[in-house]
Amino acid sequence: DVKVTQSSRYLVKRTGEKVFLECVQDMDHENMFWYRQDPGLGLRLIYFSYDVKMKEKGDIPEGYSVSREKKERFSLILESASTNQTSMYLCASTSTGTANTEAFFGQGTRLTVV
Amino acid sequence: AQSVTQLGSHVSVSEGALVLLRCNYSSSVPPYLFWYVQYPNQGLQLLLKYTSAATLVKGINDFEAEFKKSETSFHLTKPSAHMSDAAEYFCAVRNFNKFYFGSGTKLNVKP
């Protein structure tokens, strides 16, 4: 069974902390994504990676950075957490080869910044 | 530019009634369209996808969607709602390697 695994389901962090959210996929996908989900706003793309060490900003990259040192792992970093980054974070991956291939999602990380 | 519009952030139906969730897209290229379902505190699961092989697409749990190019729509339907269908539903379009999601529709099923 294909899998995208996020390292934590729930996290509570303090304002100003550096926060790491980890995501691992076992499908050898080239493309990986980090989304943020807030009520009424749907899924908003934070960052996208199309290859190892390659990244592209999404719609809301401010306050975030990413790292992709290995093909299977894509990390989201909150440099200095703020309360307005309290949200649900979703990681996803997909292959490049077939245009109608869906995105596969992890179970989500609900982050609370206090 | 790609975009997806879901009409109605909340839809409420009675158990056994027809479910209709609306999705309209804009795309400058032939679209690759998807419907996902999200249960509380979970990730998104694929319900179905349009692959251009047929305009009527069948998915899991008796959901189906019809692609109508003239209306740029891909509405999701289910003939008879079940309590377990209560969830949030997202329509998405893929353009190259990126996905664009609608804002979601929460489905409430009343007993």
Side-chain angles (χ1 to χ4, degrees):
Chain A
D1 200 14
V2 296
K3 268 194 172 176
V4 177
T5 303
Q6 295 182 229
S7 53
S8 303
R9 292 294 303 275
Y10 299 93
L11 275 179
V12 180
K13 297 292 182 180
R14 295 195 180 279
T15 302
E17 274 193 78
K18 191 169 186 176
V19 181
F20 294 85
L21 302 184
E22 308 285 347
C23 175
V24 177
Q25 50 95 3
D26 65 0
M27 296 166 281
D28 201 37
H29 284 166
E30 299 84 359
N31 308 290
M32 296 187 74
F33 312 85
W34 275 106
Y35 290 93
R36 171 176 171 160
Q37 183 182 13
D38 299 289
L41 298 179
L43 276 69
R44 293 181 291 168
L45 182 64
I46 304 172
Y47 267 98
F48 161 56
S49 170
Y50 50 92
D51 201 348
V52 175
K53 297 189 186 294
M54 306 304 285
K55 62 185 179 185
E56 189 175 305
K57 291 181 180 178
D59 301 317
I60 52 165
E62 297 77 18
Y64 303 95
S65 62
V66 290
S67 172
R68 193 161 179 208
E69 296 296 318
K70 294 185 177 182
K71 190 175 185 180
E72 67 271 19
R73 187 180 297 270
F74 191 35
S75 303
L76 180 69
I77 303 156
L78 285 66
E79 298 291 343
S80 177
S82 65
T83 54
N84 63 13
Q85 292 178 309
T86 291
S87 188
M88 175 72 138
Y89 290 88
L90 292 165
C91 176
S93 71
T94 194
S95 65
T96 297
T98 307
N100 63 3
T101 302
E102 64 268 31
F104 294 83
F105 282 83
Q107 74 275 34
T109 297
R110 188 165 292 282
L111 173 67
T112 302
V113 182
V114 297
Chain B
Q2 320 301 317
S3 69
V4 176
T5 302
Q6 291 183 241
L7 285 176
S9 58
H10 290 80
V11 170
S12 187
V13 300
S14 298
E15 193 173 19
L18 171 72
V19 176
L20 170 61
L21 305 182
R22 299 178 187 275
C23 173
N24 289 88
Y25 68 91
S26 68
S27 174
S28 55
V29 297
Y32 297 102
L33 295 160
F34 307 82
W35 274 101
Y36 286 86
V37 61
Q38 184 183 35
Y39 300 101
N41 293 313
Q42 299 284 328
L44 275 66
Q45 303 172 31
L46 182 71
L47 269 180
L48 51 80
K49 62 182 178 182
Y50 171 65
T51 62
S52 75
T55 56
L56 185 63
V57 181
K58 294 189 182 298
I60 61 172
N61 299 335
D62 295 326
F63 281 95
E64 59 183 36
E66 186 172 8
F67 172 68
K68 291 187 176 180
K69 186 177 179 180
S70 60
E71 299 176 9
T72 60
S73 69
F74 190 56
H75 301 330
L76 182 71
T77 59
K78 180 172 179 173
S80 177
H82 192 272
M83 296 297 293
S84 61
D85 295 326
E88 190 161 18
Y89 293 80
F90 292 92
C91 182
V93 61
R94 176 172 178 165
N95 181 35
F96 297 102
N97 293 322
K98 286 187 182 176
F99 291 80
Y100 300 85
F101 288 85
S103 55
T105 299
K106 281 192 175 175
L107 177 65
N108 178 46
V109 182
K110 299 174 289 186

PDB file of all heavy atoms in Angstrom, chain B residues 10-30:
ATOM      1  N   HIS B  10     -21.208  24.643   2.639  1.00  0.00           N
ATOM      2  CA  HIS B  10     -21.900  23.646   3.448  1.00  0.00           C
ATOM      3  C   HIS B  10     -23.119  23.153   2.690  1.00  0.00           C
ATOM      4  O   HIS B  10     -23.891  23.952   2.158  1.00  0.00           O
ATOM      5  CB  HIS B  10     -22.344  24.240   4.796  1.00  0.00           C
ATOM      6  CG  HIS B  10     -21.223  24.539   5.729  1.00  0.00           C
ATOM      7  ND1 HIS B  10     -20.450  25.677   5.621  1.00  0.00           N
ATOM      8  CD2 HIS B  10     -20.715  23.839   6.775  1.00  0.00           C
ATOM      9  CE1 HIS B  10     -19.528  25.670   6.570  1.00  0.00           C
ATOM     10  NE2 HIS B  10     -19.666  24.562   7.289  1.00  0.00           N
ATOM     11  N   VAL B  11     -23.271  21.832   2.664  1.00  0.00           N
ATOM     12  CA  VAL B  11     -24.453  21.213   2.073  1.00  0.00           C
ATOM     13  C   VAL B  11     -25.011  20.225   3.086  1.00  0.00           C
ATOM     14  O   VAL B  11     -24.253  19.449   3.688  1.00  0.00           O
ATOM     15  CB  VAL B  11     -24.106  20.485   0.754  1.00  0.00           C
ATOM     16  CG1 VAL B  11     -25.262  19.637   0.272  1.00  0.00           C
ATOM     17  CG2 VAL B  11     -23.710  21.498  -0.325  1.00  0.00           C
ATOM     18  N   SER B  12     -26.328  20.266   3.264  1.00  0.00           N
ATOM     19  CA  SER B  12     -26.971  19.365   4.207  1.00  0.00           C
ATOM     20  C   SER B  12     -28.034  18.555   3.485  1.00  0.00           C
ATOM     21  O   SER B  12     -28.859  19.123   2.758  1.00  0.00           O
ATOM     22  CB  SER B  12     -27.597  20.170   5.349  1.00  0.00           C
ATOM     23  OG  SER B  12     -28.087  19.304   6.355  1.00  0.00           O
ATOM     24  N   VAL B  13     -28.011  17.236   3.655  1.00  0.00           N
ATOM     25  CA  VAL B  13     -29.005  16.356   3.035  1.00  0.00           C
ATOM     26  C   VAL B  13     -29.488  15.366   4.077  1.00  0.00           C
ATOM     27  O   VAL B  13     -28.816  15.118   5.084  1.00  0.00           O
ATOM     28  CB  VAL B  13     -28.430  15.595   1.819  1.00  0.00           C
ATOM     29  CG1 VAL B  13     -27.944  16.570   0.749  1.00  0.00           C
ATOM     30  CG2 VAL B  13     -27.329  14.642   2.225  1.00  0.00           C
ATOM     31  N   SER B  14     -30.635  14.783   3.809  1.00  0.00           N
ATOM     32  CA  SER B  14     -31.136  13.715   4.670  1.00  0.00           C
ATOM     33  C   SER B  14     -30.564  12.390   4.223  1.00  0.00           C
ATOM     34  O   SER B  14     -30.222  12.193   3.045  1.00  0.00           O
ATOM     35  CB  SER B  14     -32.663  13.668   4.611  1.00  0.00           C
ATOM     36  OG  SER B  14     -33.218  14.867   5.096  1.00  0.00           O
ATOM     37  N   GLU B  15     -30.442  11.484   5.149  1.00  0.00           N
ATOM     38  CA  GLU B  15     -29.973  10.141   4.819  1.00  0.00           C
ATOM     39  C   GLU B  15     -30.899   9.536   3.768  1.00  0.00           C
ATOM     40  O   GLU B  15     -32.120   9.616   3.884  1.00  0.00           O
ATOM     41  CB  GLU B  15     -29.959   9.269   6.071  1.00  0.00           C
ATOM     42  CG  GLU B  15     -29.200   7.962   5.899  1.00  0.00           C
ATOM     43  CD  GLU B  15     -29.057   7.183   7.194  1.00  0.00           C
ATOM     44  OE1 GLU B  15     -29.827   7.463   8.136  1.00  0.00           O
ATOM     45  OE2 GLU B  15     -28.175   6.323   7.281  1.00  0.00           O
ATOM     46  N   GLY B  16     -30.297   8.965   2.716  1.00  0.00           N
ATOM     47  CA  GLY B  16     -31.080   8.392   1.633  1.00  0.00           C
ATOM     48  C   GLY B  16     -31.347   9.348   0.491  1.00  0.00           C
ATOM     49  O   GLY B  16     -31.789   8.923  -0.583  1.00  0.00           O
ATOM     50  N   ALA B  17     -31.103  10.624   0.682  1.00  0.00           N
ATOM     51  CA  ALA B  17     -31.347  11.626  -0.368  1.00  0.00           C
ATOM     52  C   ALA B  17     -30.154  11.720  -1.312  1.00  0.00           C
ATOM     53  O   ALA B  17     -29.050  11.277  -1.012  1.00  0.00           O
ATOM     54  CB  ALA B  17     -31.626  12.985   0.268  1.00  0.00           C
ATOM     55  N   LEU B  18     -30.426  12.357  -2.448  1.00  0.00           N
ATOM     56  CA  LEU B  18     -29.380  12.583  -3.447  1.00  0.00           C
ATOM     57  C   LEU B  18     -28.363  13.588  -2.926  1.00  0.00           C
ATOM     58  O   LEU B  18     -28.708  14.598  -2.321  1.00  0.00           O
ATOM     59  CB  LEU B  18     -30.006  13.126  -4.732  1.00  0.00           C
ATOM     60  CG  LEU B  18     -29.053  13.615  -5.825  1.00  0.00           C
ATOM     61  CD1 LEU B  18     -28.359  12.436  -6.489  1.00  0.00           C
ATOM     62  CD2 LEU B  18     -29.802  14.465  -6.846  1.00  0.00           C
ATOM     63  N   VAL B  19     -27.100  13.303  -3.185  1.00  0.00           N
ATOM     64  CA  VAL B  19     -26.021  14.238  -2.878  1.00  0.00           C
ATOM     65  C   VAL B  19     -25.537  14.876  -4.176  1.00  0.00           C
ATOM     66  O   VAL B  19     -25.280  14.163  -5.161  1.00  0.00           O
ATOM     67  CB  VAL B  19     -24.830  13.524  -2.209  1.00  0.00           C
ATOM     68  CG1 VAL B  19     -23.662  14.494  -1.990  1.00  0.00           C
ATOM     69  CG2 VAL B  19     -25.247  12.881  -0.889  1.00  0.00           C
ATOM     70  N   LEU B  20     -25.449  16.210  -4.185  1.00  0.00           N
ATOM     71  CA  LEU B  20     -24.906  16.929  -5.343  1.00  0.00           C
ATOM     72  C   LEU B  20     -23.953  17.983  -4.822  1.00  0.00           C
ATOM     73  O   LEU B  20     -24.360  18.909  -4.128  1.00  0.00           O
ATOM     74  CB  LEU B  20     -26.016  17.582  -6.165  1.00  0.00           C
ATOM     75  CG  LEU B  20     -25.566  18.554  -7.263  1.00  0.00           C
ATOM     76  CD1 LEU B  20     -24.689  17.866  -8.300  1.00  0.00           C
ATOM     77  CD2 LEU B  20     -26.782  19.212  -7.929  1.00  0.00           C
ATOM     78  N   LEU B  21     -22.686  17.856  -5.162  1.00  0.00           N
ATOM     79  CA  LEU B  21     -21.669  18.839  -4.789  1.00  0.00           C
ATOM     80  C   LEU B  21     -21.092  19.409  -6.079  1.00  0.00           C
ATOM     81  O   LEU B  21     -20.663  18.666  -6.953  1.00  0.00           O
ATOM     82  CB  LEU B  21     -20.562  18.183  -3.948  1.00  0.00           C
ATOM     83  CG  LEU B  21     -21.017  17.441  -2.689  1.00  0.00           C
ATOM     84  CD1 LEU B  21     -19.807  16.884  -1.939  1.00  0.00           C
ATOM     85  CD2 LEU B  21     -21.841  18.336  -1.794  1.00  0.00           C
ATOM     86  N   ARG B  22     -21.073  20.742  -6.143  1.00  0.00           N
ATOM     87  CA  ARG B  22     -20.753  21.409  -7.405  1.00  0.00           C
ATOM     88  C   ARG B  22     -19.296  21.834  -7.495  1.00  0.00           C
ATOM     89  O   ARG B  22     -18.718  22.302  -6.513  1.00  0.00           O
ATOM     90  CB  ARG B  22     -21.652  22.631  -7.588  1.00  0.00           C
ATOM     91  CG  ARG B  22     -23.132  22.290  -7.652  1.00  0.00           C
ATOM     92  CD  ARG B  22     -23.986  23.527  -7.778  1.00  0.00           C
ATOM     93  NE  ARG B  22     -25.410  23.205  -7.682  1.00  0.00           N
ATOM     94  CZ  ARG B  22     -26.146  22.810  -8.699  1.00  0.00           C
ATOM     95  NH1 ARG B  22     -25.602  22.711  -9.912  1.00  0.00           N
ATOM     96  NH2 ARG B  22     -27.431  22.544  -8.530  1.00  0.00           N
ATOM     97  N   CYS B  23     -18.762  21.691  -8.693  1.00  0.00           N
ATOM     98  CA  CYS B  23     -17.377  22.091  -8.964  1.00  0.00           C
ATOM     99  C   CYS B  23     -17.296  22.644 -10.378  1.00  0.00           C
ATOM    100  O   CYS B  23     -17.702  21.983 -11.332  1.00  0.00           O
ATOM    101  CB  CYS B  23     -16.442  20.905  -8.819  1.00  0.00           C
ATOM    102  SG  CYS B  23     -14.731  21.232  -9.324  1.00  0.00           S
ATOM    103  N   ASN B  24     -16.776  23.846 -10.500  1.00  0.00           N
ATOM    104  CA  ASN B  24     -16.477  24.432 -11.800  1.00  0.00           C
ATOM    105  C   ASN B  24     -14.996  24.768 -11.854  1.00  0.00           C
ATOM    106  O   ASN B  24     -14.408  25.161 -10.863  1.00  0.00           O
ATOM    107  CB  ASN B  24     -17.314  25.692 -12.043  1.00  0.00           C
ATOM    108  CG  ASN B  24     -18.765  25.356 -12.273  1.00  0.00           C
ATOM    109  OD1 ASN B  24     -19.555  25.257 -11.327  1.00  0.00           O
ATOM    110  ND2 ASN B  24     -19.125  25.160 -13.530  1.00  0.00           N
ATOM    111  N   TYR B  25     -14.432  24.608 -13.011  1.00  0.00           N
ATOM    112  CA  TYR B  25     -12.998  24.813 -13.151  1.00  0.00           C
ATOM    113  C   TYR B  25     -12.718  25.795 -14.274  1.00  0.00           C
ATOM    114  O   TYR B  25     -13.554  26.012 -15.161  1.00  0.00           O
ATOM    115  CB  TYR B  25     -12.291  23.483 -13.437  1.00  0.00           C
ATOM    116  CG  TYR B  25     -12.632  22.938 -14.803  1.00  0.00           C
ATOM    117  CD1 TYR B  25     -11.870  23.249 -15.916  1.00  0.00           C
ATOM    118  CD2 TYR B  25     -13.754  22.137 -14.982  1.00  0.00           C
ATOM    119  CE1 TYR B  25     -12.213  22.781 -17.175  1.00  0.00           C
ATOM    120  CE2 TYR B  25     -14.105  21.668 -16.228  1.00  0.00           C
ATOM    121  CZ  TYR B  25     -13.338  21.997 -17.325  1.00  0.00           C
ATOM    122  OH  TYR B  25     -13.689  21.548 -18.567  1.00  0.00           O
ATOM    123  N   SER B  26     -11.562  26.386 -14.240  1.00  0.00           N
ATOM    124  CA  SER B  26     -11.058  27.125 -15.385  1.00  0.00           C
ATOM    125  C   SER B  26      -9.687  26.559 -15.693  1.00  0.00           C
ATOM    126  O   SER B  26      -8.883  26.327 -14.787  1.00  0.00           O
ATOM    127  CB  SER B  26     -10.967  28.623 -15.096  1.00  0.00           C
ATOM    128  OG  SER B  26      -9.970  28.876 -14.147  1.00  0.00           O
ATOM    129  N   SER B  27      -9.470  26.288 -16.950  1.00  0.00           N
ATOM    130  CA  SER B  27      -8.212  25.679 -17.347  1.00  0.00           C
ATOM    131  C   SER B  27      -7.934  26.038 -18.792  1.00  0.00           C
ATOM    132  O   SER B  27      -8.825  25.968 -19.629  1.00  0.00           O
ATOM    133  CB  SER B  27      -8.273  24.165 -17.184  1.00  0.00           C
ATOM    134  OG  SER B  27      -7.103  23.554 -17.686  1.00  0.00           O
ATOM    135  N   SER B  28      -6.696  26.377 -19.060  1.00  0.00           N
ATOM    136  CA  SER B  28      -6.323  26.737 -20.422  1.00  0.00           C
ATOM    137  C   SER B  28      -5.926  25.522 -21.248  1.00  0.00           C
ATOM    138  O   SER B  28      -5.687  25.614 -22.429  1.00  0.00           O
ATOM    139  CB  SER B  28      -5.159  27.738 -20.389  1.00  0.00           C
ATOM    140  OG  SER B  28      -4.085  27.188 -19.643  1.00  0.00           O
ATOM    141  N   VAL B  29      -5.866  24.394 -20.598  1.00  0.00           N
ATOM    142  CA  VAL B  29      -5.516  23.138 -21.272  1.00  0.00           C
ATOM    143  C   VAL B  29      -6.541  22.088 -20.881  1.00  0.00           C
ATOM    144  O   VAL B  29      -7.280  22.294 -19.917  1.00  0.00           O
ATOM    145  CB  VAL B  29      -4.100  22.675 -20.888  1.00  0.00           C
ATOM    146  CG1 VAL B  29      -3.066  23.705 -21.353  1.00  0.00           C
ATOM    147  CG2 VAL B  29      -3.988  22.463 -19.399  1.00  0.00           C
ATOM    148  N   PRO B  30      -6.603  20.961 -21.611  1.00  0.00           N
ATOM    149  CA  PRO B  30      -7.521  19.895 -21.163  1.00  0.00           C
ATOM    150  C   PRO B  30      -7.267  19.572 -19.709  1.00  0.00           C
ATOM    151  O   PRO B  30      -6.134  19.306 -19.318  1.00  0.00           O
ATOM    152  CB  PRO B  30      -7.160  18.740 -22.086  1.00  0.00           C
ATOM    153  CG  PRO B  30      -6.643  19.388 -23.318  1.00  0.00           C
ATOM    154  CD  PRO B  30      -5.939  20.632 -22.864  1.00  0.00           C
TER     155      PRO B  30
END
